[in-house]
Amino acid sequence: MSRPKVQVTREVFDEVLDYLGQHFEVTANQDDRPFTPEELAQALTDKHGALTVLTDRIDAALLSHCPQLKAVCNIAVGYNNFDLKAMSARAVLGTNTPGVLDAATADFTWALILATARRLTEAEAWLRAGEWQGWKLKQFLGMDVQGATLGIIGMGRIGQAVAKRARGFDMPVLYYNRTRLAPALERECNARHASLDELLAQSDIVTLHTPYSADSHHLLGAAQLAKMKPSAILIHAARGGVVDDAALIAALQNGTIAAAGLDVFESEPKFNPEFLKLRNVVLAPHIASATTNTRRNMAMLAAKNLVAALTGERPPNLLNPDALK
Ligand code: GLV
C-alpha cells in the first residue's frame, strides 16, 4: 500500500522530517518560502495531510482543491488560520499545539513587561546612537513593577503561567475570562476575577492572552483604552486583531496610556508603521514562543498529531471532533 502524502509548509527541524518520513511520503519546504494561497492549494491537491503554520489559511476555497486531505496540523496554539466549520464539513481534522509553549510565552510576556516598564529598548537605542554623556539622576525613569496591579485578559494556560510568575513581584493580580477559574486554581494563581471594565480601570499593567476570533476582534479599542490609567502599560503577545492597533497608536500618542510592549500586530508582518515613530513602545516580531526547545516541541507535537490522524488514531490535540462523524 502506498504511504500517505504529506506537505510541510515551512522549514522545520530535521528530526521532525525524519519522524514524518518514517510514516509518510513527505514534501518539505526547507527553503522556507511562504506559499501564496494559490501555491498552498496547489501543494495540497494530492496530499492526505499537512503540517502548517499560522499564516497558512485553511478554508473552504482551499479545501475545494484538496479532495484527499484528511488532517491539517498547525504548529501553533492559535488556530484562527483554520476555518474549522469548513474543515469539519469535509471531514478534515484540525489540530494545534497547546501546553508546550505556555512557559516560553509567559516568560516572554514578562520580558515585555519589564522592558516596557523600564524603557529598555528606548534606552538601548539612545546608547547605541552615542547619546550617553554620563549618569543622571532623572535618566530614563520608568515605572515600578513590584507591587503594581497586573490585569490579565484571557486566563487560559498562558494567562495562568503569567499570573504565577507575578508572585515574585508581589503583585495583586486581576483577571478577566469568559468562565471563572475554579477557586483552587484562583488561589494557585493568586488572582481575583474582575469585569473587563474593573480590570482596565484598576490595573497598572494590562496583558492579553486571549485567542483571536470574531468574538475577540478589537476586544481592546479606543473605548476600552480610554478606561485604562494614563500611567498604565499594555502588553500584547496574544494575536494581532485582538487590539485595534490604530486606536492603540492614538492612545500612545495622546497619553491615554503610558506605553505598550507588543509581540503581535494586525496585518503581520506589514504592521502599522506609526508604531516605529513612537518612543513609548517595545516591539518584537511575534517571537513569544521562540525558544529552541519550545519550537522543537511545538513542531514535534504537530507531527505527532499528524501521524495519529493519518493512522486512524484520535490526534491528542483535535480541535474539531465533529469531523470524525
Ligand atoms: C503562536 O502565535 C501560536 O499561536 O502558537
Side-chain angles (χ1 to χ4, degrees):
M1 211 181 82
S2 68
R3 302 196 309 162
K5 293 187 174 138
V6 303
Q7 174 74 49
V8 181
T9 67
R10 295 293 297 273
E11 184 183 13
V12 291
F13 300 95
D14 289 345
E15 76 254 22
V16 176
L17 291 182
D18 290 346
Y19 171 68
L20 290 174
Q22 292 164 23
H23 301 268
F24 308 128
E25 192 182 308
V26 182
T27 308
N29 176 15
Q30 293 299 79
D31 292 341
D32 208 30
R33 198 178 64 79
F35 291 125
T36 63
E38 295 73 29
E39 289 168 337
L40 183 61
Q42 179 64 35
L44 298 187
T45 17
D46 61 339
K47 303 295 187 302
H48 303 94
L51 214 65
T52 54
V53 300
L54 49 92
T55 45
D56 298 317
R57 177 105 196 112
I58 306 296
D59 56 14
L62 174 128
L63 294 171
S64 67
H65 296 281
C66 313
Q68 322 261 41
L69 203 60
K70 296 272 167 297
V72 184
C73 300
N74 228 19
I75 309 177
V77 66
Y79 52 89
N80 52 295
N81 55 316
F82 286 179
D83 180 340
L84 281 183
K85 231 170 125 191
M87 291 169 72
S88 295
R90 289 181 168 261
V92 175
L93 308 185
T95 70
N96 67 340
T97 61
V100 290
L101 45 56
D102 301 347
T105 306
D107 288 350
F108 194 78
T109 299
W110 275 95
L112 285 178
I113 290 173
L114 293 167
T116 307
R118 301 303 301 273
R119 304 169 62 184
L120 185 59
T121 56
E122 184 189 350
E124 181 174 354
W126 183 83
L127 176 149
R128 283 178 185 269
E131 299 287 341
W132 192 19
Q133 301 297 328
W135 190 90
K136 272 194 192 183
L137 190 67
K138 291 189 178 175
Q139 211 153 52
F140 286 108
L141 299 180
M143 146 188 171
D144 284 324
V145 172
Q146 168 146 327
T149 296
L150 178 65
I152 301 177
I153 299 176
M155 198 59 156
R157 283 174 299 255
I158 296 170
Q160 291 170 32
V162 170
K164 286 177 189 162
R165 283 158 174 72
R167 274 187 189 275
F169 293 90
D170 294 327
M171 300 169 88
V173 179
L174 301 175
Y175 77 94
Y176 167 72
N177 201 51
R178 260 182 316 191
T179 43
R180 209 176 146 167
L181 302 187
L185 200 47
E186 283 190 347
R187 277 195 297 281
E188 207 183 305
C189 295
N190 194 31
R192 179 170 77 72
H193 188 257
S195 68
L196 183 57
D197 281 356
E198 187 195 355
L199 181 149
L200 292 171
Q202 292 196 8
S203 300
D204 301 302
I205 299 164
V206 173
T207 182
L208 287 154
H209 301 285
T210 178
Y212 179 71
S213 67
D215 287 344
S216 65
H217 178 73
H218 289 186
L219 182 65
L220 252 55
Q224 291 72 31
L225 291 162
K227 291 179 180 158
M228 290 173 65
K229 297 181 185 181
S231 57
I233 66 178
L234 176 69
I235 304 299
H236 188 18
R239 193 55 106 244
V242 176
V243 173
D244 177 344
D245 282 357
L248 175 59
I249 287 165
L252 290 162
Q253 283 167 341
N254 62 28
T256 304
I257 68 168
L262 307 169
D263 184 48
V264 293
F265 304 87
E266 290 189 278
S267 316
E268 289 172 19
K270 291 186 173 49
F271 61 91
N272 191 322
E274 291 299 313
F275 278 121
L276 296 175
K277 299 186 190 151
L278 295 167
R279 279 193 301 115
N280 50 347
V281 288
V282 172
L283 306 173
H286 204 144
I287 55 170
S289 66
T291 69
T292 307
N293 271 335
T294 296
R295 288 283 167 90
R296 276 187 196 279
N297 290 338
M298 289 166 68
M300 203 45 134
L301 183 54
K304 287 189 172 150
N305 273 290
L306 190 54
V307 170
L310 297 185
T311 55
E313 294 191 0
R314 191 187 171 97
N317 306 112
L318 182 59
L319 294 164
N320 56 340
D322 52 334
L324 291 170
K325 282 184 204 140

